[in-house]
Amino acid sequence: MRGGPDHCIAHEPGAPCALPDEFRSLQPADEAALSDRASVFLCGAYRFAGDIGRGLVDALPSVLPLPANIDDPIHSVVALLSRELQHENPGRQTVLDRLLDVLVVFGLRAGLSRSTTPPAWFRGASDARLAPILEVIHAEPEKPWTVEELAKLGHMSRATFARTFQQVVGDSPMKYLTDWRMTLARDLLLTSEATLDEIAAQIGYGSVYAFATAFQRHHGQPPRRWQAAQAGVQRASVDH
């Protein structure tokens, strides 16, 4: 469920839904709940922060059914979660946290594979020719990449790489790199206390001036003014 809207879960469409307290009173713990044929309901929430997380979530439908085939890895992770919740073993919370991470990755993979509007990076990451190049761009945005250097990583000519990247991802390699750097910059401005010098160095700009110029061209205002505006929006949403 994307965004946490009110919802009910039922065995068939149109079935009456009970509020949580009523449901629990109707389904007290008994021996039937321990049966292999019993249904188990697990509920959890996962928060995504920043533009990267928002981009992932926005690409998903509001309701995403996941496969329940017994040979699907999602089935195995849910079974492990259920098993871990039944026992108070040492390290239980750590195991639950990691399993939830894995479940979210599998869920995102399944959802984005079916999406009619998957993010550009997902389209590229699903292409064997571009996947290693995107991995390098994401991992090392601070490097002064050129189209020629990226083409060599993919064992393609410059022209073939540029054409392939544009066809699959929908943007030129340099525009994608700039967009990724700006995404990282927005996250750093919103979630860290890094200086503009530090942000510029982390995302591949040789000076604050070069970074600020690129940011203003991309967002229509300087980094600190954009940051202050976003802080005001967040305060207003909290107040309401």
Side-chain angles (χ1 to χ4, degrees):
M1 304 292 297
R2 176 166 63 87
D6 291 341
H7 59 280
C8 294
I9 296 178
H11 65 289
E12 63 183 9
C17 288
L19 293 174
D21 288 342
E22 181 186 356
F23 178 83
R24 282 191 287 268
S25 68
L26 294 172
Q27 305 291 333
D30 54 27
E31 292 183 2
L34 302 177
S35 167
D36 291 339
R37 296 174 58 83
S39 296
V40 177
F41 177 62
L42 305 178
C43 182
Y46 202 98
R47 293 185 180 274
F48 290 84
D51 274 17
I52 299 174
R54 191 177 304 112
L56 283 171
V57 175
D58 288 347
L60 298 173
S62 58
V63 180
L64 174 63
L66 297 177
N69 302 333
I70 198 166
D71 60 342
D72 191 283
I74 290 176
H75 185 281
S76 300
V77 176
V78 171
L80 285 171
L81 274 167
S82 180
R83 181 184 179 86
E84 194 66 25
L85 284 167
Q86 295 176 33
H87 306 285
E88 289 285 350
N89 289 324
R92 177 175 181 253
Q93 192 58 53
T94 299
V95 173
L96 290 173
D97 289 345
R98 298 295 79 77
L99 286 174
L100 184 57
D101 287 341
V102 173
L103 181 60
V104 169
V105 171
F106 281 146
L108 286 170
R109 184 187 294 170
L112 294 176
S113 296
R114 301 183 214 162
S115 174
T116 57
T117 57
W121 66 264
F122 187 80
R123 294 194 299 271
S126 301
D127 188 297
R129 299 164 297 177
L130 300 181
I133 298 171
L134 286 172
E135 185 175 342
V136 168
I137 289 176
H138 293 160
E140 302 177 272
E142 75 282 359
K143 289 195 173 182
W145 296 110
T146 64
V147 175
E148 289 80 3
E149 289 172 328
L150 294 172
K152 288 179 182 177
L153 290 175
H155 307 289
M156 289 180 273
S157 69
R158 184 188 188 282
T160 299
F161 166 63
R163 183 175 61 255
T164 302
F165 198 97
Q166 180 74 45
Q167 290 173 345
V168 175
V169 178
D171 278 324
S172 69
M174 290 299 100
K175 183 178 185 305
Y176 182 89
L177 175 60
T178 299
D179 288 348
W180 175 243
R181 286 171 170 170
M182 291 298 104
T183 297
L184 295 175
R186 290 193 298 272
D187 276 358
L188 288 168
L189 287 168
L190 291 175
T191 63
S192 77
E193 297 181 359
T195 65
L196 293 185
D197 284 288
E198 291 169 336
I199 294 175
Q202 287 184 53
I203 64 173
Y205 289 92
S207 69
V208 171
Y209 177 77
F211 163 55
T213 300
F215 193 93
Q216 179 150 355
R217 187 184 308 118
H218 213 78
H219 298 88
Q221 53 188 334
R224 289 305 186 199
R225 188 180 301 171
W226 180 89
Q227 184 185 43
Q230 294 301 308
V233 170
Q234 290 180 355
R235 284 194 298 272
S237 64
V238 171
D239 292 342
H240 288 85

PDB file of all heavy atoms in Angstrom, residues 139-163:
ATOM      1  N   ALA A 139      27.493   4.930  -7.983  1.00  0.00           N
ATOM      2  CA  ALA A 139      28.457   4.724  -6.897  1.00  0.00           C
ATOM      3  C   ALA A 139      29.521   5.813  -6.850  1.00  0.00           C
ATOM      4  O   ALA A 139      30.026   6.143  -5.769  1.00  0.00           O
ATOM      5  CB  ALA A 139      29.123   3.357  -7.046  1.00  0.00           C
ATOM      6  N   GLU A 140      29.867   6.389  -8.007  1.00  0.00           N
ATOM      7  CA  GLU A 140      30.965   7.352  -8.053  1.00  0.00           C
ATOM      8  C   GLU A 140      30.579   8.607  -8.845  1.00  0.00           C
ATOM      9  O   GLU A 140      31.194   8.932  -9.859  1.00  0.00           O
ATOM     10  CB  GLU A 140      32.204   6.706  -8.685  1.00  0.00           C
ATOM     11  CG  GLU A 140      32.687   5.460  -7.945  1.00  0.00           C
ATOM     12  CD  GLU A 140      33.868   4.796  -8.630  1.00  0.00           C
ATOM     13  OE1 GLU A 140      33.618   3.950  -9.522  1.00  0.00           O
ATOM     14  OE2 GLU A 140      35.010   5.146  -8.285  1.00  0.00           O
ATOM     15  N   PRO A 141      29.562   9.328  -8.379  1.00  0.00           N
ATOM     16  CA  PRO A 141      29.120  10.519  -9.118  1.00  0.00           C
ATOM     17  C   PRO A 141      30.141  11.644  -9.084  1.00  0.00           C
ATOM     18  O   PRO A 141      30.052  12.588  -9.879  1.00  0.00           O
ATOM     19  CB  PRO A 141      27.837  10.915  -8.384  1.00  0.00           C
ATOM     20  CG  PRO A 141      28.047  10.427  -6.989  1.00  0.00           C
ATOM     21  CD  PRO A 141      28.786   9.128  -7.137  1.00  0.00           C
ATOM     22  N   GLU A 142      31.085  11.566  -8.142  1.00  0.00           N
ATOM     23  CA  GLU A 142      32.070  12.638  -7.999  1.00  0.00           C
ATOM     24  C   GLU A 142      33.140  12.632  -9.085  1.00  0.00           C
ATOM     25  O   GLU A 142      33.866  13.603  -9.273  1.00  0.00           O
ATOM     26  CB  GLU A 142      32.746  12.548  -6.620  1.00  0.00           C
ATOM     27  CG  GLU A 142      33.773  11.440  -6.453  1.00  0.00           C
ATOM     28  CD  GLU A 142      33.159  10.058  -6.241  1.00  0.00           C
ATOM     29  OE1 GLU A 142      31.927   9.964  -6.212  1.00  0.00           O
ATOM     30  OE2 GLU A 142      33.932   9.098  -6.077  1.00  0.00           O
ATOM     31  N   LYS A 143      33.245  11.558  -9.844  1.00  0.00           N
ATOM     32  CA  LYS A 143      34.260  11.470 -10.885  1.00  0.00           C
ATOM     33  C   LYS A 143      33.860  12.297 -12.111  1.00  0.00           C
ATOM     34  O   LYS A 143      32.680  12.388 -12.452  1.00  0.00           O
ATOM     35  CB  LYS A 143      34.489  10.016 -11.281  1.00  0.00           C
ATOM     36  CG  LYS A 143      35.206   9.203 -10.209  1.00  0.00           C
ATOM     37  CD  LYS A 143      35.734   7.894 -10.768  1.00  0.00           C
ATOM     38  CE  LYS A 143      36.605   7.170  -9.742  1.00  0.00           C
ATOM     39  NZ  LYS A 143      37.151   5.919 -10.287  1.00  0.00           N
ATOM     40  N   PRO A 144      34.845  12.878 -12.789  1.00  0.00           N
ATOM     41  CA  PRO A 144      34.545  13.711 -13.974  1.00  0.00           C
ATOM     42  C   PRO A 144      34.289  12.861 -15.214  1.00  0.00           C
ATOM     43  O   PRO A 144      35.065  12.838 -16.165  1.00  0.00           O
ATOM     44  CB  PRO A 144      35.821  14.555 -14.125  1.00  0.00           C
ATOM     45  CG  PRO A 144      36.904  13.673 -13.598  1.00  0.00           C
ATOM     46  CD  PRO A 144      36.280  12.903 -12.450  1.00  0.00           C
ATOM     47  N   TRP A 145      33.182  12.145 -15.207  1.00  0.00           N
ATOM     48  CA  TRP A 145      32.888  11.215 -16.288  1.00  0.00           C
ATOM     49  C   TRP A 145      32.687  11.931 -17.623  1.00  0.00           C
ATOM     50  O   TRP A 145      32.137  13.027 -17.673  1.00  0.00           O
ATOM     51  CB  TRP A 145      31.619  10.409 -15.971  1.00  0.00           C
ATOM     52  CG  TRP A 145      31.737   9.533 -14.770  1.00  0.00           C
ATOM     53  CD1 TRP A 145      31.113   9.700 -13.572  1.00  0.00           C
ATOM     54  CD2 TRP A 145      32.540   8.358 -14.642  1.00  0.00           C
ATOM     55  NE1 TRP A 145      31.466   8.694 -12.696  1.00  0.00           N
ATOM     56  CE2 TRP A 145      32.337   7.853 -13.328  1.00  0.00           C
ATOM     57  CE3 TRP A 145      33.403   7.678 -15.489  1.00  0.00           C
ATOM     58  CZ2 TRP A 145      32.974   6.711 -12.865  1.00  0.00           C
ATOM     59  CZ3 TRP A 145      34.036   6.537 -15.025  1.00  0.00           C
ATOM     60  CH2 TRP A 145      33.810   6.067 -13.733  1.00  0.00           C
ATOM     61  N   THR A 146      33.097  11.257 -18.685  1.00  0.00           N
ATOM     62  CA  THR A 146      32.803  11.706 -20.041  1.00  0.00           C
ATOM     63  C   THR A 146      32.063  10.582 -20.751  1.00  0.00           C
ATOM     64  O   THR A 146      32.069   9.429 -20.302  1.00  0.00           O
ATOM     65  CB  THR A 146      34.081  12.034 -20.827  1.00  0.00           C
ATOM     66  OG1 THR A 146      34.853  10.825 -20.993  1.00  0.00           O
ATOM     67  CG2 THR A 146      34.914  13.081 -20.099  1.00  0.00           C
ATOM     68  N   VAL A 147      31.425  10.922 -21.859  1.00  0.00           N
ATOM     69  CA  VAL A 147      30.716   9.898 -22.628  1.00  0.00           C
ATOM     70  C   VAL A 147      31.695   8.826 -23.102  1.00  0.00           C
ATOM     71  O   VAL A 147      31.392   7.632 -23.077  1.00  0.00           O
ATOM     72  CB  VAL A 147      29.994  10.539 -23.829  1.00  0.00           C
ATOM     73  CG1 VAL A 147      29.351   9.460 -24.715  1.00  0.00           C
ATOM     74  CG2 VAL A 147      28.920  11.511 -23.342  1.00  0.00           C
ATOM     75  N   GLU A 148      32.896   9.251 -23.502  1.00  0.00           N
ATOM     76  CA  GLU A 148      33.900   8.296 -23.977  1.00  0.00           C
ATOM     77  C   GLU A 148      34.282   7.300 -22.889  1.00  0.00           C
ATOM     78  O   GLU A 148      34.382   6.087 -23.144  1.00  0.00           O
ATOM     79  CB  GLU A 148      35.145   9.041 -24.471  1.00  0.00           C
ATOM     80  CG  GLU A 148      34.962   9.805 -25.769  1.00  0.00           C
ATOM     81  CD  GLU A 148      34.279  11.152 -25.566  1.00  0.00           C
ATOM     82  OE1 GLU A 148      33.995  11.514 -24.403  1.00  0.00           O
ATOM     83  OE2 GLU A 148      34.028  11.831 -26.579  1.00  0.00           O
ATOM     84  N   GLU A 149      34.513   7.794 -21.667  1.00  0.00           N
ATOM     85  CA  GLU A 149      34.911   6.909 -20.568  1.00  0.00           C
ATOM     86  C   GLU A 149      33.796   5.923 -20.216  1.00  0.00           C
ATOM     87  O   GLU A 149      34.060   4.741 -19.973  1.00  0.00           O
ATOM     88  CB  GLU A 149      35.277   7.747 -19.345  1.00  0.00           C
ATOM     89  CG  GLU A 149      36.576   8.519 -19.497  1.00  0.00           C
ATOM     90  CD  GLU A 149      36.808   9.493 -18.353  1.00  0.00           C
ATOM     91  OE1 GLU A 149      35.811  10.015 -17.814  1.00  0.00           O
ATOM     92  OE2 GLU A 149      37.974   9.722 -18.006  1.00  0.00           O
ATOM     93  N   LEU A 150      32.570   6.400 -20.187  1.00  0.00           N
ATOM     94  CA  LEU A 150      31.444   5.523 -19.877  1.00  0.00           C
ATOM     95  C   LEU A 150      31.243   4.485 -20.977  1.00  0.00           C
ATOM     96  O   LEU A 150      30.927   3.323 -20.700  1.00  0.00           O
ATOM     97  CB  LEU A 150      30.173   6.339 -19.678  1.00  0.00           C
ATOM     98  CG  LEU A 150      30.169   7.276 -18.459  1.00  0.00           C
ATOM     99  CD1 LEU A 150      28.943   8.181 -18.478  1.00  0.00           C
ATOM    100  CD2 LEU A 150      30.212   6.480 -17.156  1.00  0.00           C
ATOM    101  N   ALA A 151      31.449   4.890 -22.225  1.00  0.00           N
ATOM    102  CA  ALA A 151      31.314   3.959 -23.349  1.00  0.00           C
ATOM    103  C   ALA A 151      32.336   2.830 -23.232  1.00  0.00           C
ATOM    104  O   ALA A 151      32.027   1.661 -23.499  1.00  0.00           O
ATOM    105  CB  ALA A 151      31.484   4.699 -24.668  1.00  0.00           C
ATOM    106  N   LYS A 152      33.566   3.169 -22.808  1.00  0.00           N
ATOM    107  CA  LYS A 152      34.600   2.143 -22.652  1.00  0.00           C
ATOM    108  C   LYS A 152      34.220   1.127 -21.583  1.00  0.00           C
ATOM    109  O   LYS A 152      34.505  -0.064 -21.718  1.00  0.00           O
ATOM    110  CB  LYS A 152      35.933   2.806 -22.301  1.00  0.00           C
ATOM    111  CG  LYS A 152      36.586   3.557 -23.451  1.00  0.00           C
ATOM    112  CD  LYS A 152      37.892   4.217 -23.014  1.00  0.00           C
ATOM    113  CE  LYS A 152      38.525   5.002 -24.148  1.00  0.00           C
ATOM    114  NZ  LYS A 152      39.761   5.708 -23.712  1.00  0.00           N
ATOM    115  N   LEU A 153      33.589   1.607 -20.514  1.00  0.00           N
ATOM    116  CA  LEU A 153      33.161   0.684 -19.452  1.00  0.00           C
ATOM    117  C   LEU A 153      32.160  -0.337 -19.989  1.00  0.00           C
ATOM    118  O   LEU A 153      32.100  -1.470 -19.512  1.00  0.00           O
ATOM    119  CB  LEU A 153      32.519   1.465 -18.299  1.00  0.00           C
ATOM    120  CG  LEU A 153      33.453   2.338 -17.452  1.00  0.00           C
ATOM    121  CD1 LEU A 153      32.644   3.134 -16.447  1.00  0.00           C
ATOM    122  CD2 LEU A 153      34.493   1.474 -16.737  1.00  0.00           C
ATOM    123  N   GLY A 154      31.369   0.064 -20.970  1.00  0.00           N
ATOM    124  CA  GLY A 154      30.381  -0.834 -21.557  1.00  0.00           C
ATOM    125  C   GLY A 154      30.865  -1.525 -22.810  1.00  0.00           C
ATOM    126  O   GLY A 154      30.088  -2.216 -23.476  1.00  0.00           O
ATOM    127  N   HIS A 155      32.159  -1.336 -23.121  1.00  0.00           N
ATOM    128  CA  HIS A 155      32.759  -1.964 -24.310  1.00  0.00           C
ATOM    129  C   HIS A 155      31.978  -1.625 -25.572  1.00  0.00           C
ATOM    130  O   HIS A 155      31.697  -2.486 -26.408  1.00  0.00           O
ATOM    131  CB  HIS A 155      32.845  -3.492 -24.135  1.00  0.00           C
ATOM    132  CG  HIS A 155      33.539  -3.914 -22.880  1.00  0.00           C
ATOM    133  ND1 HIS A 155      34.893  -3.777 -22.698  1.00  0.00           N
ATOM    134  CD2 HIS A 155      33.049  -4.448 -21.723  1.00  0.00           C
ATOM    135  CE1 HIS A 155      35.226  -4.222 -21.486  1.00  0.00           C
ATOM    136  NE2 HIS A 155      34.124  -4.624 -20.876  1.00  0.00           N
ATOM    137  N   MET A 156      31.609  -0.332 -25.677  1.00  0.00           N
ATOM    138  CA  MET A 156      30.886   0.155 -26.845  1.00  0.00           C
ATOM    139  C   MET A 156      31.592   1.374 -27.409  1.00  0.00           C
ATOM    140  O   MET A 156      32.360   2.049 -26.705  1.00  0.00           O
ATOM    141  CB  MET A 156      29.440   0.540 -26.465  1.00  0.00           C
ATOM    142  CG  MET A 156      28.520  -0.614 -26.138  1.00  0.00           C
ATOM    143  SD  MET A 156      26.838  -0.045 -25.705  1.00  0.00           S
ATOM    144  CE  MET A 156      27.050   0.256 -23.940  1.00  0.00           C
ATOM    145  N   SER A 157      31.327   1.650 -28.655  1.00  0.00           N
ATOM    146  CA  SER A 157      31.824   2.893 -29.223  1.00  0.00           C
ATOM    147  C   SER A 157      31.032   4.046 -28.620  1.00  0.00           C
ATOM    148  O   SER A 157      29.938   3.863 -28.076  1.00  0.00           O
ATOM    149  CB  SER A 157      31.656   2.888 -30.743  1.00  0.00           C
ATOM    150  OG  SER A 157      30.274   2.956 -31.087  1.00  0.00           O
ATOM    151  N   ARG A 158      31.579   5.253 -28.731  1.00  0.00           N
ATOM    152  CA  ARG A 158      30.902   6.416 -28.166  1.00  0.00           C
ATOM    153  C   ARG A 158      29.514   6.586 -28.778  1.00  0.00           C
ATOM    154  O   ARG A 158      28.535   6.811 -28.065  1.00  0.00           O
ATOM    155  CB  ARG A 158      31.741   7.673 -28.422  1.00  0.00           C
ATOM    156  CG  ARG A 158      31.167   8.933 -27.795  1.00  0.00           C
ATOM    157  CD  ARG A 158      31.940  10.169 -28.260  1.00  0.00           C
ATOM    158  NE  ARG A 158      31.534  11.338 -27.525  1.00  0.00           N
ATOM    159  CZ  ARG A 158      30.421  12.033 -27.743  1.00  0.00           C
ATOM    160  NH1 ARG A 158      29.570  11.626 -28.682  1.00  0.00           N
ATOM    161  NH2 ARG A 158      30.140  13.100 -27.027  1.00  0.00           N
ATOM    162  N   ALA A 159      29.427   6.460 -30.102  1.00  0.00           N
ATOM    163  CA  ALA A 159      28.154   6.663 -30.790  1.00  0.00           C
ATOM    164  C   ALA A 159      27.135   5.594 -30.405  1.00  0.00           C
ATOM    165  O   ALA A 159      25.964   5.891 -30.147  1.00  0.00           O
ATOM    166  CB  ALA A 159      28.364   6.668 -32.302  1.00  0.00           C
ATOM    167  N   THR A 160      27.591   4.333 -30.359  1.00  0.00           N
ATOM    168  CA  THR A 160      26.677   3.237 -30.003  1.00  0.00           C
ATOM    169  C   THR A 160      26.178   3.392 -28.580  1.00  0.00           C
ATOM    170  O   THR A 160      24.977   3.220 -28.294  1.00  0.00           O
ATOM    171  CB  THR A 160      27.375   1.883 -30.164  1.00  0.00           C
ATOM    172  OG1 THR A 160      27.771   1.717 -31.527  1.00  0.00           O
ATOM    173  CG2 THR A 160      26.448   0.744 -29.755  1.00  0.00           C
ATOM    174  N   PHE A 161      27.087   3.739 -27.671  1.00  0.00           N
ATOM    175  CA  PHE A 161      26.698   3.913 -26.270  1.00  0.00           C
ATOM    176  C   PHE A 161      25.699   5.054 -26.114  1.00  0.00           C
ATOM    177  O   PHE A 161      24.668   4.903 -25.444  1.00  0.00           O
ATOM    178  CB  PHE A 161      27.935   4.179 -25.408  1.00  0.00           C
ATOM    179  CG  PHE A 161      27.607   4.694 -24.042  1.00  0.00           C
ATOM    180  CD1 PHE A 161      26.883   3.932 -23.143  1.00  0.00           C
ATOM    181  CD2 PHE A 161      28.016   5.973 -23.650  1.00  0.00           C
ATOM    182  CE1 PHE A 161      26.563   4.416 -21.874  1.00  0.00           C
ATOM    183  CE2 PHE A 161      27.706   6.466 -22.392  1.00  0.00           C
ATOM    184  CZ  PHE A 161      26.982   5.688 -21.504  1.00  0.00           C
ATOM    185  N   ALA A 162      25.990   6.203 -26.712  1.00  0.00           N
ATOM    186  CA  ALA A 162      25.099   7.361 -26.580  1.00  0.00           C
ATOM    187  C   ALA A 162      23.716   7.045 -27.135  1.00  0.00           C
ATOM    188  O   ALA A 162      22.691   7.405 -26.533  1.00  0.00           O
ATOM    189  CB  ALA A 162      25.705   8.563 -27.300  1.00  0.00           C
ATOM    190  N   ARG A 163      23.673   6.357 -28.280  1.00  0.00           N
ATOM    191  CA  ARG A 163      22.392   6.006 -28.889  1.00  0.00           C
ATOM    192  C   ARG A 163      21.632   4.999 -28.030  1.00  0.00           C
ATOM    193  O   ARG A 163      20.421   5.142 -27.785  1.00  0.00           O
ATOM    194  CB  ARG A 163      22.622   5.431 -30.289  1.00  0.00           C
ATOM    195  CG  ARG A 163      21.335   5.109 -31.035  1.00  0.00           C
ATOM    196  CD  ARG A 163      21.591   4.665 -32.455  1.00  0.00           C
ATOM    197  NE  ARG A 163      22.404   3.457 -32.546  1.00  0.00           N
ATOM    198  CZ  ARG A 163      23.684   3.428 -32.902  1.00  0.00           C
ATOM    199  NH1 ARG A 163      24.321   4.548 -33.210  1.00  0.00           N
ATOM    200  NH2 ARG A 163      24.349   2.282 -32.955  1.00  0.00           N
TER     201      ARG A 163
END
